[in-house]
Amino acid sequence: MPSHAPCKSFPRIKACRAYAAKNVATSDAGQGADCHDVALSHWINGVHPMPIANPMSCWPQYSGARTSWGINALGSCVCEVEAEDGTVGVGVTTAGEPGCYIIEKHLSRFVEGEDPRDVERMYDCMWRSTINYGRKGLPLQAISAVDLALWDLLGKLRGEPVYALLGGKTKERLPVYMTTARPEVAKELGFVWAKIPCPYGPHDGDEGFRKNVEFFKSKRELVGPEYPLALDCYMALSVPYAIKLGRALAPYGLKWLEEFLPPDDYEGYAEVRRELRGVVLTTTGEHEYTRYGFRKLIAERAADVLQPDITWMGGLTEARRVVAMAAAYDLPVIPHGSSVYSYHLQYAFHNCPVAEFINLSPEADKVVPYFGGLFLDEPLPKDGFIDLPDRPGFGVTLNRSGLCRPYPRSDQSSLEQANANKARAAPTVARARL
């Protein structure tokens, strides 16, 4: 009989901890995981140099700075998952202190004591246990942070980058486009295309519509006729307005029209896509959650490109299911932001052709880390590509300065939860789940 060496043993998960990180100000983009936690004068706040249309633009009291209606209210949430051998995985999201509460008081019980390789089990428990108060939004953001920390931990324990855990690279280098107020800078820096924010919406009437056209035309003149240029509408338009705007900007080479309706208006997205088919591409998904939301977008033929945010929509475990679903329909998946958490996914899947990099320098004039000062060594795009370092996990080092644990639990609490999971009995009677 042949002899076989035993498989490598893995430590169990010892602790799951959650930290709030508000304004990690150690770089020009000091916002941590919340890309809108910025100064009033920052371009992404929609005050300078142009307004940015958004769902609250229809209310004059809140039509100025985007922070006036609380887009930065939550701040960052950081999850650490520690194995028994001291190895730590890190995941982030924008759930702030409320997300920390959910992680510490609820989600931790499905993680502590578990085998870190059992990511599917832990994700399913977290998702099913939060259905009554979750399904989208804040609870899924908290789940995302835990899930990403688990993948980071697993990569570190295996000594491999996350993309290798997903099946390895499908491309030698990953191209990058830039979201920015200054597309000419994106072009100069070698980004493959640029995306700019839509300044006005239906609430600004015919004058605002004309200003939108002139704005896009002026940016086109800056970058020339061949450089691809997209428009991000951030849930601010209506179906008729989006159709009219897409047609008006098509002669100026609009690459795509992004997230122009509220995320739950699947029928509206499908109608706009039908009307603009062959004219401009339509994209959405930044504020969509779980495979069920993306299944709806796919079934409705509601977009040409899907844009999940990996730190919001359920983490890497759910994101890989979305990418696989999209592949069956030849739909590209180009995630929103998320830096390294997106890059590893995109390297591993063929239908993720390009990455987004949001320019978070205050004047949109230089390349700074997406997560600001939250990591000490976040990789940055250069000459139109993002190249990942040869490091295990997601390959970044958490900057612990400025972190606080608002809902700490004792080591004894973690131990009790871990022991409960370790003591779980295996089934003794075979039953089929059908």
Side-chain angles (χ1 to χ4, degrees), residues 131-178:
I131 289 176
N132 66 313
Y133 69 91
R135 297 173 37 241
K136 295 189 177 187
L138 182 64
L140 262 296
Q141 292 175 343
I143 289 173
S144 298
V146 179
D147 183 76
L148 293 169
L150 290 170
W151 279 96
D152 189 42
L153 173 63
L154 186 55
K156 290 173 179 175
L157 290 173
R158 289 190 181 274
E160 293 184 306
V162 168
Y163 65 74
L165 304 182
L166 294 172
K169 287 186 176 181
T170 61
K171 50 189 72 71
E172 292 302 321
R173 302 184 80 190
L174 179 62
V176 189
Y177 82 89
M178 179 188 284

Side-chain angles (χ1 to χ4, degrees), residues 371-383:
F371 288 125
L374 197 56
F375 295 110
L376 301 176
D377 46 10
E378 181 180 338
L380 299 176
K382 188 176 187 299
D383 300 327

Side-chain angles (χ1 to χ4, degrees), residues 104-330:
E104 295 271 11
K105 303 296 185 179
H106 191 182
L107 303 182
S108 63
R109 73 187 64 182
F110 308 112
V111 174
E112 292 170 341
E114 294 290 354
D115 187 319
R117 294 169 292 184
D118 294 342
V119 290
E120 286 284 347
R121 175 192 177 89
M122 288 180 277
Y123 177 86
D124 198 62
C125 288
M126 290 190 291
W127 174 72
R128 289 179 184 276
S129 70
T130 56
I131 289 176
N132 66 313
Y133 69 91
R135 297 173 37 241
K136 295 189 177 187
L138 182 64
L140 262 296
Q141 292 175 343
I143 289 173
S144 298
V146 179
D147 183 76
L148 293 169
L150 290 170
W151 279 96
D152 189 42
L153 173 63
L154 186 55
K156 290 173 179 175
L157 290 173
R158 289 190 181 274
E160 293 184 306
V162 168
Y163 65 74
L165 304 182
L166 294 172
K169 287 186 176 181
T170 61
K171 50 189 72 71
E172 292 302 321
R173 302 184 80 190
L174 179 62
V176 189
Y177 82 89
M178 179 188 284
T179 294
T180 178
R182 300 180 65 182
E184 71 279 11
V185 174
K187 182 180 179 182
E188 291 169 5
L189 293 174
F191 287 85
V192 293
W193 71 73
K195 184 175 73 188
I196 53 178
C198 181
Y200 305 100
H203 51 278
D204 295 306
D206 292 339
E207 181 183 1
F209 187 90
R210 289 191 294 270
K211 287 182 178 180
N212 274 339
V213 175
E214 288 302 314
F215 168 76
F216 191 85
K217 182 181 176 183
S218 69
K219 297 300 184 182
R220 167 58 65 206
E221 291 170 350
L222 281 176
V223 298
E226 303 300 326
Y227 189 67
L229 196 58
L231 189 70
D232 185 352
C233 304
Y234 201 70
M235 306 174 285
L237 310 185
S238 64
V239 168
Y241 194 102
I243 294 169
K244 181 180 177 182
L245 185 62
R247 289 172 175 165
L249 298 183
Y252 303 106
L254 174 63
K255 184 173 184 64
W256 76 42
L257 197 67
E258 178 174 323
E259 204 186 24
F260 36 84
L261 302 174
D264 294 314
D265 190 359
Y266 304 107
E267 293 81 3
Y269 275 106
E271 181 180 350
V272 174
R273 188 196 183 202
R274 286 193 299 269
E275 292 295 325
L276 295 181
R277 194 80 181 265
V279 181
V280 298
L281 299 173
T282 62
T283 73
T284 192
E286 173 183 338
H287 292 98
E288 192 53 84
Y289 295 85
T290 77
R291 60 192 181 274
Y292 297 104
F294 284 94
R295 183 180 69 179
K296 181 73 170 175
L297 286 172
I298 293 170
E300 295 283 348
R301 301 290 200 273
D304 294 296
V305 179
L306 300 180
Q307 300 171 296
D309 188 300
I310 311 307
T311 66
W312 300 344
M313 56 79 64
L316 195 60
T317 300
E318 193 75 336
R320 62 179 179 171
R321 288 194 269 262
V322 170
V323 175
M325 278 197 303
Y329 294 83
D330 293 324

Side-chain angles (χ1 to χ4, degrees), residues 23-39:
N23 253 327
V24 187
T26 57
S27 74
D28 289 329
Q31 75 291 330
D34 187 349
C35 63
H36 291 98
D37 195 9
V38 296

Side-chain angles (χ1 to χ4, degrees), residues 171-176 342-344 346-347 352-355 384-387:
K171 50 189 72 71
E172 292 302 321
R173 302 184 80 190
L174 179 62
V176 189
S342 288
Y343 300 154
H344 281 259
Q346 291 174 277
Y347 261 106
C352 297
V354 63
F385 292 99
I386 181 68
D387 297 304

